[in-house]
Amino acid sequence: MKKVAALFGALLFVSSVDAGSTSSKETVIQEEETFAIPAKPEIVEKGQIGEILSRIEKAGFKIKALKMVRLTKEQAAEFYREHKNKPFFDSLCTYMSKGRVVVAILSGPDAIKRYRTLEGATDPKKAAKGTLRGDFGTDREANAVHGSDSPESAKREIRFFFSEFETLANAGQKHSAPQKNFAR
Ligand code: IDP
Ligand code: MG
């Protein structure tokens, strides 16, 4: 009986090592930050900011920073500079500067890819139901939301909109204070 118990114990040990190594493989998924525009101008206008933020939180993202801004057309052009040779560029910049937008930093495991999935396809008509663009988008241009497409874009886009103070990088420090150019 002792032998059986010892064998059983050994098996448990092996399986717990296995389980441990499997779960350590699973936890390789990186905690990361992404930049999002959870409300493009038409969403702010329609009063759907809260509904979209709620979907984002329910999907497991943490909102690390959040604010509302109004872009100039030039700022919109700089933000979307990768598209400057596209036929829709001028119209896109006019649209993105026609009203206020909500910008945010989101975090979570694999946040960049997972938020793009939550967004859905660029064209709301092709986006699946249950995605943000599928449920809130109007057309290919007014498609409700934006999300960074790579770690490099996320870094650039976060820096484009948020100062170091606003990213709360200094949260918890005893003497944290707004940086001098906070009101920019
Ligand atoms: P994405 O936002 O899904 O990454 P991009 O191709 O990077 O799509 O385009 C940036 C934004 O430009 C889109 O979110 C949308 O607002 C707008 N856009 C993209 N394609 C078109 C188009 O064919 N016509 C008009 N606007 C477009
Ligand atoms: Mg894009």
Side-chain angles (χ1 to χ4, degrees):
M1 193 60 199
K2 257 186 187 168
K3 262 189 193 166
V4 174
L7 184 64
F8 189 58
L11 282 175
L12 270 181
F13 177 71
V14 169
S15 69
S16 71
V17 166
D18 267 346
S21 62
T22 308
S23 65
S24 72
K25 259 182 219 150
E26 283 165 2
T27 53
V28 164
I29 298 171
Q30 292 273 319
E31 183 80 14
E32 67 183 356
E33 287 188 346
T34 190
F35 170 78
I37 303 184
K40 287 184 173 182
E42 79 281 10
I43 297 297
V44 174
E45 201 49 48
K46 286 194 273 187
Q48 294 176 321
I49 301 168
E51 274 180 76
I52 292 188
L53 290 179
S54 174
R55 293 261 194 119
I56 290 171
E57 290 191 317
K58 282 185 183 136
F61 295 92
K62 282 264 174 291
I63 299 175
K64 298 292 282 290
L66 186 70
K67 67 180 176 183
M68 187 182 268
V69 295
R70 172 84 187 261
L71 292 170
T72 63
K73 194 172 173 186
E74 291 69 34
Q75 288 168 329
E78 176 57 20
F79 180 71
Y80 278 118
R81 64 189 182 189
E82 68 181 285
H83 296 301
K84 71 171 186 290
N85 295 321
K86 304 266 172 67
F88 59 81
F89 184 65
D90 189 66
S91 174
L92 170 63
C93 298
T94 301
Y95 152 63
M96 284 301 288
S97 57
K98 77 176 184 191
R100 288 172 287 175
V101 297
V102 175
V103 295
I105 303 174
L106 308 178
S107 78
D110 210 12
I112 294 171
K113 211 167 106 206
R114 284 198 313 118
Y115 181 71
R116 295 276 294 183
T117 304
L118 180 65
E119 273 192 326
T122 303
D123 184 348
K125 285 175 191 76
K126 291 182 187 148
K129 282 270 154 271
T131 63
L132 298 175
R133 285 168 168 172
D135 294 351
F136 296 94
T138 308
D139 55 44
R140 227 183 133 80
E141 180 173 83
N143 60 1
V145 293
H146 164 88
S148 304
D149 60 8
S150 68
E152 296 70 37
S153 309
K155 207 171 163 200
R156 179 182 91 84
E157 293 173 0
I158 285 172
R159 250 325 130 237
F160 187 92
F161 281 101
F162 291 98
S163 70
E164 203 175 317
F165 173 70
E166 290 171 306
T167 63
L168 309 186
N170 58 358
Q173 282 176 22
K174 239 181 171 177
H175 302 293
S176 66
Q179 56 191 43
K180 286 206 171 64
N181 67 348
F182 176 55
R184 59 181 179 169

